[in-house]
Amino acid sequence: MFMTSSLLDQLVEYRGIESNYHDAWGRPTSIEPATKSKLLSAMGYPVDEPDLLLKQVQDSSNQTWLSVLNPVQVLRIEEHLKIVVRLPIELVTDDYVAKVSTELGDVFEHPFVPIDGQLANVAHIEDIEFQEYLIDIPMQLPLGYHTLSIVIDDDVLGSMRLIIAPSSCFKPKVLAEGKKVWGLSIQLYCLRSDHNWGIGDFSDLSFLVEKLAKQGAQFVGLNPIHALYPSNADACSPYGPSSRRWLNFIYIDVTSLDGYQQDSTQAIVNDVSFQQQLQNARAADLVDYQLVTKLKLNALEKVFEYQNSQYLSKNTRLNKVFKAFVADGGDSLQTLAVYDALQESLAAQQKPFSGWPVFPTEFSDFHNPAVKKFTKKHAKRVKFFLWLQWQAALQLEMANQVAQKNGMLIGLYRDLAVGVSEGSAEIWGNKELYCTDASVGAPPDVLGPLGQNWGLPPMDPEKLFEQQYQPIIEMFDANMRATGALRIDHVMALLRLWWVVKGDDAKKGGYVYYPVDDLLAILALESHRHQSLVIGEDLGTVPDEIRAKLADNGVYSYRVFFFEQAPDGGFFSPSHYPEQSMSTLTTHDMPTLAGYWHCDDLTLGKELGIYPAEDILSTLYASRHHNKQSILDTLHGHHSINDEVGRDVHNVKMSKALNFGMQLHMASGSSALLSLQLEDWLEMDKPVNIPGTFNEYPNWRRKLTRNLQDIFNDSSLNELAANLTEARKHASK
């Protein structure tokens, strides 16, 4: 029993499970031994069977020693290359060559004898002694993804991926020189327009980008636009996607596609019933995802039929482009397309379709023979879903081109969700990588005193390493395409994630560490490849050392006005925010400015049962009252508002003057980037999302109150934009 306990302690340390941390209030907190044991179990260790546990650990160790090289090594461009080589003792005096093949095809070689290196470790496997050496490789390698092989007499003994990364993430030169810019963050699905089908689309995005660029905005931020679930459209949270590499096709503007004007498509869309449903979808104040998905799929199918017969079944230029897109998408794209087709097929048969965990056994894994058979039988339908991804990517790129043509410094910036839901295509295609008996969440903090469980299975750090970081590389690469910036939701995931084992309360979770230096290096490499700056959402329980590490790596901090308070309750001036940051007033998880000022979020929270204890709610109201007075004091103290807005919170309601004054107050700050919400431009009161709710509130559905075309005909909003541009110019001096 002692041996097992000791082994468990070693495993806890080896697998990066944290035993102690400081909570959101700065208090030292310990993780319970039972929680650590459960986390090991979620990682696949038989913690309750000592003999099996010992054998698994020994087998894993032996497998490592039998590998000549590690799967992957990550270096910064300024670092000296040293590699770890493992060989049986009788082979350590032989002559070898370290051969590096770069991604551009260049080859570098360095001869070495292992025993001349530094002995690092020794192990015995079946009476054979293995020795591990640290070998210097004096090579100057370019940035990129390369392959290093150990060769003897033209035989390759082992290979690994070698990643050479820049010292920090990309930063536009003008920002580095002190320029301050502003832009709007939007929820794309919320947009209303004269032409869309009941949900914002990529054409709306292009229109918005062009109009804002002419008003001086330098970027438009998007909610996560990751692929969701065509056959389960009400699973609409952008933060619980099916795949983070691919796009939500619901944002395609069907009317702009080649084939929309064809008779076959027009017969569908001009049908009386279709037109009535389309009008209902447009008029609704909440996005009707099921209806919009049905309407778009009906029309998209006809457009696809046309394009498939005209271009995609022949030796045409467009077919070559399409095939290149599919080839570049690789297994990840194929997995998503097959998954969507399979889910649709099961739904049509009235079988469970909410995700692979409830699929029939033969379809529960992408690699099963039955799935391959299904793919072959339904090849055209799979091709349709591949085509949808192609069209979505083309339309997103068109919006990106509009930003570039209109001189936006950054253009589009995307938002990367922290994970995928359990029933996702991403997990279905790579189950080995994910620990589905656990979920990502957050420990108790001010906003969530009971902790949070987001229902997103975490990646296993060890499996990620074994897979040479390929899933992370593909994810960063995909989300930086057609953009000038990437916001990483819960950027702490690069360092550690709060794992909650299935069946446990969120507060009973524990932190698991990730290879932060390797992940930041890959992020920096992809950032430079795409010329995309990186913003890290660093809210919540964040150690100071990781904030410093992120800053050193060129990652922009994320500063929310309402959270930037001094110990005495006063609000810090935005002029004191870090220059390397994006500042904002509110986020998608917070009330709008009007909702905050009128305490609508507290009223809603009481109605929805989020604050069941009256004393807690009373404390929150008192705190809000105090904060609002402090905000008025700050705004008047910095002359961000005039006497049109009173100084006593008892007599001040939210008004256009107060709303716009708060936005201009932020524009005078030192953050390089200022992000404002379109909802606050429109003085809306209802939030887009209420954390901690599921069916209690229509999250991710609330539309804007006005059409895009109307917004840019509003003289007061045009004046606000001009004032923001001028304030940012003044702040740059």
Side-chain angles (χ1 to χ4, degrees):
M1 185 65 186
F2 173 77
M3 181 186 71
T4 303
S5 177
S6 175
L7 180 58
L8 288 176
D9 290 339
Q10 292 176 45
L11 274 176
V12 164
E13 183 175 356
Y14 170 69
R15 293 309 312 270
I17 298 173
E18 191 169 40
S19 294
N20 303 286
Y21 72 98
H22 285 81
D23 69 12
W25 296 272
R27 300 175 304 207
T29 306
S30 296
I31 303 297
E32 297 178 4
T35 295
K36 291 186 283 188
S37 182
K38 286 181 180 180
L39 291 175
L40 286 173
S41 180
M43 292 175 178
Y45 292 99
V47 295
D48 296 325
E49 301 181 64
D51 292 340
L52 282 177
L53 177 63
L54 182 59
K55 184 178 185 306
Q56 180 173 327
V57 171
Q58 290 173 338
D59 289 346
S60 176
S61 175
N62 290 348
Q63 188 62 42
T64 299
W65 277 99
L66 292 171
S67 302
V68 176
L69 296 167
N70 288 328
V72 60
Q73 186 168 336
V74 184
L75 289 174
R76 302 296 181 130
I77 190 72
E78 67 274 11
E79 292 181 314
H80 183 73
L81 175 58
K82 294 184 178 182
I83 63 171
V84 172
V85 177
R86 304 178 198 88
L87 291 165
I89 189 171
E90 64 268 20
L91 300 181
V92 300
T93 57
D94 292 342
D95 294 321
Y96 298 86
V97 174
K99 180 179 178 181
V100 176
S101 301
T102 73
E103 63 180 16
L104 296 178
D106 297 321
V107 176
F108 299 87
E109 295 185 350
H110 173 70
F112 71 97
V113 178
I115 201 169
D116 292 339
Q118 178 184 345
L119 181 64
N121 212 339
V122 177
H124 291 83
I125 302 174
E126 296 181 358
D127 298 327
I128 298 176
E129 181 175 318
F130 282 76
Q131 295 187 345
E132 183 180 79
Y133 287 89
L134 195 60
I135 309 296
D136 282 312
I137 308 292
M139 292 181 184
Q140 293 295 318
L141 297 171
L143 298 175
Y145 301 101
H146 315 310
T147 300
L148 186 149
S149 303
I150 300 300
V151 180
I152 182 169
D153 298 331
D154 295 326
D155 290 329
V156 177
L157 291 188
S159 297
M160 73 174 182
R161 167 176 274 170
L162 181 61
I163 303 174
I164 308 297
S167 56
S168 64
C169 293
F170 170 78
K171 186 183 296 185
K173 186 171 182 287
V174 293
L175 290 187
E177 293 172 347
K179 184 178 177 66
K180 308 291 192 296
V181 300
W182 71 275
L184 285 184
S185 293
I186 64 165
Q187 305 289 312
L188 184 53
Y189 53 85
C190 288
L191 300 184
R192 292 181 188 264
S193 72
D194 291 340
H195 84 280
N196 77 37
W197 284 16
I199 192 168
D201 59 33
F202 289 129
S203 290
D204 290 334
L205 179 60
S206 293
F207 177 88
L208 179 65
V209 164
E210 184 170 14
K211 290 293 186 180
L212 285 173
K214 287 177 168 49
Q215 293 186 329
Q218 298 297 335
F219 63 83
V220 172
L222 297 170
N223 58 282
I225 52 176
H226 307 314
L228 296 180
Y229 304 89
S231 296
N232 189 17
D234 283 337
C236 59
S237 170
Y239 291 93
S242 181
S243 172
R244 290 182 289 176
R245 271 204 67 185
W246 304 103
L247 299 171
N248 188 350
F249 75 84
I250 203 170
Y251 295 125
I252 293 174
D253 173 13
V254 186
T255 67
S256 69
L257 297 178
D258 179 19
Y260 177 74
Q261 296 298 336
Q262 295 301 310
D263 291 344
S264 57
T265 309
Q266 288 297 299
I268 290 287
V269 300
N270 287 326
D271 177 79
V272 174
S273 175
F274 188 99
Q275 282 296 312
Q276 183 59 56
Q277 292 178 79
L278 181 57
Q279 291 308 313
N280 292 342
R282 284 172 168 165
D285 290 330
L286 301 175
V287 177
D288 187 336
Y289 284 98
Q290 285 197 15
L291 178 57
V292 171
T293 300
K294 184 185 77 169
L295 294 174
K296 289 207 171 187
L297 279 176
N298 286 344
L300 285 164
E301 286 165 358
K302 292 300 180 182
V303 174
F304 171 72
E305 288 289 347
Y306 170 78
Q307 290 197 12
N308 192 46
S309 63
Q310 292 293 312
Y311 313 119
L312 306 183
S313 300
K314 303 174 182 178
N315 186 26
T316 64
R317 183 189 64 82
L318 273 180
N319 195 23
K320 291 176 182 177
V321 174
F322 173 56
K323 286 183 175 179
F325 174 83
V326 172
D328 183 58
D331 289 343
S332 176
L333 178 56
Q334 188 71 16
T335 299
L336 179 68
V338 173
Y339 191 72
D340 287 346
L342 179 57
Q343 242 188 342
E344 180 184 68
S345 176
L346 292 173
Q349 300 170 46
Q350 302 299 311
K351 293 183 178 179
F353 61 88
S354 59
W356 64 263
V358 293
F359 281 0
T361 304
E362 66 268 25
F363 296 131
S364 63
D365 192 293
F366 172 65
H367 304 284
N368 286 354
V371 174
K372 291 179 171 59
K373 185 177 179 181
F374 173 89
T375 303
K376 186 175 181 179
K377 182 179 179 181
H378 298 85
K380 187 175 181 181
R381 196 59 179 176
V382 171
K383 185 178 182 180
F384 170 66
F385 284 106
L386 293 170
W387 176 82
L388 288 177
Q389 287 300 319
W390 182 43
Q391 294 303 313
L394 289 173
Q395 290 199 357
L396 177 62
E397 176 55 34
M398 287 177 64
N400 179 48
Q401 292 295 325
V402 170
Q404 293 182 4
K405 288 176 183 176
N406 283 275
M408 276 190 163
L409 174 63
I410 297 169
L412 302 180
Y413 91 70
R414 288 185 59 181
D415 196 353
L416 177 63
V418 71
V420 292
S421 63
E422 183 178 355
S424 64
E426 200 167 293
I427 295 179
W428 185 63
N430 192 0
K431 287 184 183 177
E432 185 181 46
L433 178 60
Y434 291 88
C435 297
T436 55
D437 285 335
S439 168
V440 174
D445 58 23
V446 177
L447 294 180
L450 299 179
Q452 299 177 57
N453 184 337
W454 301 327
L456 311 171
M459 291 184 182
D460 184 327
E462 189 171 70
K463 298 299 182 185
L464 188 61
F465 181 70
E466 291 174 2
Q467 295 184 18
Q468 302 180 313
Y469 296 131
Q470 186 63 24
I472 289 289
I473 294 167
E474 291 181 354
M475 184 177 67
F476 288 156
D477 170 56
N479 284 274
M480 289 182 183
R481 295 186 183 189
T483 65
L486 177 66
R487 175 188 179 272
I488 301 179
D489 189 54
H490 196 66
V491 73
M492 280 295 300
L494 299 177
L495 171 72
R496 66 183 188 183
L497 278 172
W498 184 258
W499 286 31
V500 181
V501 175
K502 271 187 178 178
D504 281 358
D505 292 333
K507 62 184 178 182
K508 292 292 187 180
Y511 277 117
V512 175
Y513 274 79
Y514 287 75
V516 60
D517 291 320
D518 284 0
L519 299 183
L520 281 172
I522 294 167
L523 181 64
L525 177 55
E526 289 299 325
S527 170
H528 277 269
R529 288 187 162 213
H530 293 280
Q531 299 284 281
S532 176
L533 68 82
V534 179
I535 304 143
E537 188 264 291
D538 51 354
L539 306 176
T541 308
V542 184
D544 290 338
E545 57 266 29
I546 185 60
R547 278 213 170 97
K549 185 182 285 287
L550 291 170
D552 291 343
N553 278 271
V555 177
Y556 283 70
S557 182
Y558 192 67
R559 299 302 171 109
V560 180
F561 173 75
F562 293 118
F563 298 155
E564 295 296 314
Q565 283 185 274
D568 65 0
F571 287 83
F572 291 118
S573 166
S575 63
H576 294 156
Y577 292 1
E579 186 170 338
Q580 188 176 293
S581 70
M582 170 179 277
S583 59
T584 185
L585 282 162
T586 60
T587 75
H588 59 268
D589 284 331
M590 297 172 62
T592 63
L593 293 183
Y596 175 91
W597 201 262
H598 296 141
C599 300
D600 291 346
D601 56 319
L602 302 182
T603 302
L604 267 172
K606 180 180 180 181
E607 293 174 357
L608 300 176
I610 297 175
Y611 311 117
E614 195 63 40
D615 57 334
I616 294 177
L617 194 58
S618 297
T619 300
L620 290 172
Y621 272 111
S623 176
R624 180 68 55 84
H625 184 80
H626 180 268
N627 287 344
K628 286 161 58 178
Q629 183 62 64
S630 295
I631 290 170
L632 287 178
D633 295 342
T634 295
L635 295 176
H636 278 293
H638 287 87
H639 306 291
S640 297
I641 52 178
N642 57 32
D643 288 337
E644 179 184 348
V645 179
R647 295 174 181 268
D648 184 348
V649 68
H650 294 90
N651 304 318
V652 177
K653 294 182 178 180
M654 178 53 69
S655 63
K656 190 183 296 291
L658 177 55
N659 180 323
F660 288 9
M662 292 177 74
Q663 297 189 52
L664 291 169
H665 178 67
M666 296 295 288
S668 68
S670 53
S671 295
L673 310 169
L674 169 63
S675 174
L676 300 168
Q677 305 275 89
L678 192 49
E679 285 88 346
D680 291 324
W681 272 33
L682 303 183
E683 303 174 70
M684 293 175 62
D685 55 0
K686 290 184 173 59
V688 73
N689 175 53
I690 299 180
T693 64
F694 180 56
N695 290 322
E696 299 91 338
Y697 183 82
N699 294 322
W700 320 115
R701 296 174 182 271
R702 189 265 292 129
K703 297 181 187 178
L704 298 181
T705 51
R706 297 168 67 181
N707 274 16
L708 287 177
Q709 289 76 11
D710 297 336
I711 291 172
F712 293 100
N713 290 326
D714 187 321
S715 59
S716 66
L717 292 178
N718 292 335
E719 182 181 357
L720 171 62
N723 290 338
L724 288 169
T725 301
E726 187 61 31
R728 293 267 75 192
K729 285 180 182 177
H730 185 74
S732 301
K733 297 176 182 178

